Amino acid sequence: MTTDTPSPEVESIVDYERLAADDTIPYHEQRDVVDAAVVEQVRDLPDLACVGITNPAGELLLRRQTDTCSWKLPVENVAPDEEFTTAIVDHVRATIGFEIGLTAIEGIWQVTETDDGEQTATRGFVTVRGVPLSGEYDLTAVEPTGESVHAAEWFDELPADVDAVPGTDVCLD
């Protein structure tokens, strides 16, 4: 597991592609050949900031945004020129209720979809590690500052219906 205290080394990230040259941050490039319709769908999707929060028992925090969503790490859409780190910290505060500090960048995933012809679309995923600044992990004691998620729970293994966004596997030690 990564350190459990916030670290000043977790910098603001706006342009994740510049981190490809940083040997200390795992950078993954994935290219998939898909139907042209999928390329069009991906082209319209924003990049995502993701955070893995583990409690002292080693359990991973997953959430369901709505009652029809699958379990997944807390994730937030990131607009162009928006900071990934700020977006995910604000999202966790608003939807789950934890004020978190970031402890590490777990990895960058750049996923490119192509129709093996003329069209491509790329989406970035920045996955960080975080801990509640209060040191408390009690989900019943937190109060979201915005619209809360449908459910949030600690898991010692990934549930069968998990939506494993890139980086999920590295967050569950």
Side-chain angles (χ1 to χ4, degrees):
M1 181 183 322
T2 314
T3 115
D4 61 356
T5 56
S7 168
E9 291 96 39
V10 178
E11 64 186 80
S12 170
I13 301 169
V14 176
D15 176 14
Y16 69 86
E17 291 174 320
R18 73 174 174 75
L19 297 173
D22 186 334
D23 292 339
T24 65
I25 298 172
Y27 196 94
H28 311 273
E29 294 180 87
Q30 176 182 331
R31 188 174 183 91
D32 299 319
V33 177
V34 296
D35 291 333
V38 174
V39 175
E40 288 297 320
Q41 289 173 336
V42 171
R43 182 172 288 124
D44 294 334
L45 296 175
D47 293 330
L48 285 178
C50 317
V51 64
I53 302 170
T54 51
N55 64 22
E59 297 169 315
L60 182 63
L61 179 69
L62 299 177
R63 58 91 166 142
R64 290 177 60 205
Q65 191 71 26
T66 68
D67 63 345
T68 59
C69 288
S70 298
W71 290 103
K72 71 171 73 170
L73 292 177
V75 298
E76 178 61 341
N77 295 333
V78 179
D81 299 323
E82 184 179 10
E83 293 182 357
F84 285 81
T85 49
T86 300
I88 197 62
V89 167
D90 291 348
H91 174 74
V92 170
R93 178 188 320 109
T95 63
I96 297 173
F98 284 133
E99 186 72 38
I100 62 169
L102 303 179
T103 60
I105 301 171
E106 292 294 331
I108 310 294
W109 283 260
Q110 182 179 29
V111 179
T112 300
E113 308 288 356
T114 180
D115 64 1
D116 208 21
E118 300 175 13
Q119 298 186 86
T120 62
T122 300
R123 190 171 190 204
F125 297 81
V126 174
T127 301
V128 295
R129 179 78 64 160
V131 295
L133 290 177
S134 66
E136 296 294 323
Y137 294 83
D138 181 1
L139 293 170
T140 63
V142 293
E143 287 195 36
T145 60
E147 186 175 333
S148 67
V149 295
H150 174 73
E153 290 183 28
W154 298 106
F155 290 86
D156 59 359
E157 60 184 51
L158 297 177
D161 65 339
V162 72
D163 181 358
V165 295
T168 300
D169 57 335
V170 299
C171 293
L172 188 60
D173 297 318

